[in-house]
Amino acid sequence: MDTTATRLTFRDATEDDVDVLVALVESAYRGESSRAGWTTEADILEGRRTDPEGVLDVIRSSDSRLLVVEQDGGVVACCQLEHRGGHAYFGMFAVSPTLQGAGLGKTVIAEAERQARAAWGVTEMHMTVISVRDDLIAWYERRGYRRTGRMTPFPYGDERFGVPRRDDLRFELLVKELA
């Protein structure tokens, strides 16, 4: 196991975290800063990935948790967990681009799965991934997620999700059975 994991702390986000979390998510997926890591969407989407209102909605929702991951006093990752009956939804996952590729993401997703099982007794974790993100989908498959082939359309024209640079974007549902 990566020794970085021993210095991580996990906590629920508060309203005071909103600006830091928006900046983290944006840096992991959009713009030039995202190119420092491998999760960038800069070649397929422009514009924002999230906004303060979206982050606040997750923090304030009674069925969601937004986990903040800190290392040495700084926020290095986050993820959303949402209770949806027999399963949890995993979203808003971001790791600081300069820390990607060192095992931090694996540690965060494993802890998110553990917390979802413990808090809600769920038996599955669901997520949606842009279907053209083969490298990202492969990473999730190595963590035990399986492609379902169930697609939902990308919300073209709704800039809250970004401005597409191509016309073939869809979301695919990935599912993992939780032990």
Side-chain angles (χ1 to χ4, degrees):
M1 177 179 220
D2 184 5
T3 56
T4 351
T6 60
R7 297 177 293 169
L8 297 177
T9 57
F10 292 79
R11 64 175 175 81
D12 288 322
T14 68
E15 292 185 9
D16 292 338
D17 295 312
V18 169
D19 291 339
V20 169
L21 294 175
V22 169
L24 172 66
V25 171
E26 294 300 313
S27 74
Y29 292 98
R30 303 289 164 81
E32 285 306 308
S33 65
S34 70
R35 295 185 191 281
W38 67 273
T39 61
T40 184
E41 296 172 343
D43 293 327
I44 61 172
L45 291 160
E46 295 175 339
R48 63 184 181 186
R49 180 81 161 17
T50 192
D51 58 29
E53 295 78 22
V55 173
L56 271 173
D57 287 347
V58 174
I59 291 171
R60 292 176 176 162
S61 171
S62 62
D63 291 327
S64 282
R65 297 176 64 195
L66 186 52
L67 294 181
V68 174
V69 184
E70 294 176 315
Q71 182 178 46
D72 300 327
V75 174
V76 295
C78 68
C79 66
Q80 172 193 9
L81 294 172
E82 183 178 326
H83 187 211
R84 295 183 179 178
H87 73 272
Y89 178 80
F90 180 80
M92 207 178 293
F93 184 31
V95 173
S96 173
T98 59
L99 299 174
Q100 292 177 16
L104 179 57
K106 287 187 265 190
T107 301
V108 172
I109 198 167
E111 178 62 12
E113 292 165 355
R114 187 196 70 74
Q115 287 198 27
R117 282 190 311 267
W120 300 314
V122 295
T123 58
E124 287 185 339
M125 186 78 86
H126 291 195
M127 71 174 72
T128 55
V129 179
I130 296 173
S131 63
V132 299
R133 295 293 318 275
D134 295 328
D135 53 345
L136 186 57
I137 292 171
W139 187 86
Y140 285 122
E141 287 178 314
R142 291 190 297 276
R143 313 276 91 66
Y145 287 81
R146 66 178 171 75
R147 297 182 86 156
T148 65
R150 291 174 40 197
M151 302 287 181
T152 54
F154 186 87
Y156 286 92
D158 187 343
E159 291 190 10
R160 290 178 303 160
F161 296 91
V163 179
R165 299 181 75 182
R166 48 193 291 178
D167 62 4
D168 62 343
L169 302 181
R170 302 180 297 170
F171 292 109
E172 182 171 2
L173 175 66
L174 304 182
V175 175
K176 179 178 181 178
E177 302 288 327
L178 300 178

